[in-house]
Amino acid sequence: MTEPVKNEERKKVIFSAIQPSGTITLGNYLGALKNWIELQDNFNCIYALADLHTITVRQDPPTFRRHTLEAYALLLACGVDPKKSVFFIQSHVPTHAQLAWILDCYSQFGELQRMTQFKDKAAKHPDNVNAGLLTYPPLMAADILLYQADLVPVGVDQKQHLELTRTIAERFNGIYGQTFTVPDGYIPKQGAKIMSLQDPTRKMSKSDENANASIAVLDKPEDIMRKFKRAVTDSEACVRYGEGKDGVNNLMGIYACVTGKTNEEIEAEFDGKGYGDFKSAVGEAVAEHLRPIRERYEDYMKNRDYLEQCWGEGAEKACSISSRTLRKAMKKIGFLPPKSI
Ligand code: AMP
Ligand code: TRP
């Protein structure tokens, strides 16, 4: 995994996507979105809502539509800027499904079956182990490879899929010659894995049944405060980073992300103070950090025309860039082109 390096001559291409599958959590925000925003100034960024990935788990149509609309507005509110970046909805750009089919044919059944996420989701939804759950990674590879992305910012849980993307790209390039850029992952130092507030050995997840375990980006300040006050810690009553202190480590990580403070600074700030003070401070800092996002979100949700214009323009740009890669890959494989170019 490499750090992004600024390159004055050719800006590196960043691609990332997030599923519009429900509540966007503080884990998504600190593990992924906050980095998306920061990267926009120095890189050529392309971001998507991966709605095709979402239907690997059965969705209720009106809820799915609403989640996609809300996620688009929320990402704009978080700071994804359509003037700086390309920001689109995956299902609006047909090249993704087209290249995904092609890449399915360059992915091995065994390697797809070994993916941790496939095994987890198959166990969680035994009544719907559909083929899309298995071929989820080649679709993700298509997302990335269509834009010749150099770097892919994701949380640690997506590392295995990214490695498979590299394998597929290298395999294709090995057969046909250089076609796809082989991307590197970019995993942020802080916030790469935000843990549940109720069980800090598990990651914070939008699907957690315990409502106190995760913070939604759109949670009200009073709910944020309450959830942090109830966060599981330990009996040492000392704010320090260390082994066996998963709860405190997680809270320190969150506090560091939203305040920019180091662990040493945080330890000094709470020296001699109890967990009550510490949890309130983390809650307040998070609530303050998220307040303007919630306000902007409400404005965007009142302006459907603007949202449609943004995703329309995003899809057009994404189509134009990705069609070039798709044509190139299809030509190499030997598909007869519709007209000679
Ligand atoms: P998902 O919620 O699985 O659609 O993930 C969307 C993005 O957020 C991915 O880049 C994940 O790696 C990241 N992410 C999800 N949950 C967490 C978490 N608890 N901590 C850090 N990153 C996360
Ligand atoms: N699979 C990712 C997740 O659930 C979302 C995703 C789809 C993605 N396509 C991508 C992430 C391409 C990075 C790059 O989090």
Side-chain angles (χ1 to χ4, degrees), residues 2 5 45 82 101 104 106 124-125 129 147 149 170 173 181 222 263 272 286 288 315 329 333:
T2 56
V5 190
C45 295
W101 166 255
D104 280 352
Y106 297 82
K124 211 166 154 192
H125 305 279
V129 185
Y147 301 93
E170 279 163 357
N173 289 347
T181 303
E222 56 269 30
N263 281 345
V286 170
E288 265 324 296
I333 296 169

Side-chain angles (χ1 to χ4, degrees), residues 16-21 23-33 36 117 121 136 153-159 188 191-196 202-206:
S16 198
I18 185 169
Q19 290 192 47
S21 49
T23 318
I24 292 189
T25 66
L26 187 66
N28 297 134
Y29 176 69
L30 296 178
L33 301 177
W36 289 20
Q117 186 180 295
K121 287 203 178 167
Y136 180 113
V154 282
V156 233
D157 58 340
Q158 294 298 317
K159 213 174 135 187
K193 199 165 186 188
I194 303 295
M195 310 309 277
S196 153
R202 289 180 26 213
K203 83 163 189 169
M204 182 182 284
S205 157
K206 44 192 157 199

Side-chain angles (χ1 to χ4, degrees), residues 25-149:
T25 66
L26 187 66
N28 297 134
Y29 176 69
L30 296 178
L33 301 177
K34 196 161 170 282
N35 293 291
W36 289 20
I37 314 307
E38 287 163 8
L39 292 164
Q40 292 181 110
D41 288 325
N42 295 314
F43 299 91
N44 187 358
C45 295
I46 302 173
Y47 297 132
L49 285 185
D51 58 345
L52 295 173
H53 280 102
T54 306
I55 64 159
T56 51
V57 174
R58 191 81 70 234
Q59 301 292 317
D60 165 57
T63 312
F64 181 36
R65 229 180 335 264
R66 180 169 54 80
H67 280 163
T68 310
L69 175 71
E70 290 172 353
Y72 197 88
L74 182 55
L75 262 62
L76 290 180
C78 286
V80 172
D81 183 348
K83 286 193 203 72
K84 293 182 188 161
S85 309
V86 178
F87 178 37
F88 66 100
I89 298 174
Q90 187 190 29
S91 65
H92 295 175
V93 183
T95 48
H96 289 251
Q98 288 172 285
L99 185 64
W101 166 255
I102 291 177
L103 298 183
D104 280 352
C105 303
Y106 297 82
S107 305
Q108 295 302 308
F109 181 66
E111 62 195 1
L112 297 178
Q113 218 182 9
R114 279 195 296 276
M115 292 287 113
T116 313
Q117 186 180 295
F118 170 71
K119 290 192 275 190
D120 288 352
K121 287 203 178 167
K124 211 166 154 192
H125 305 279
D127 52 333
N128 186 20
V129 185
N130 60 74
L133 218 46
L134 184 74
T135 59
Y136 180 113
L139 175 59
M140 178 160 159
D143 296 341
I144 299 168
L145 301 180
L146 277 170
Y147 301 93
Q148 306 289 356

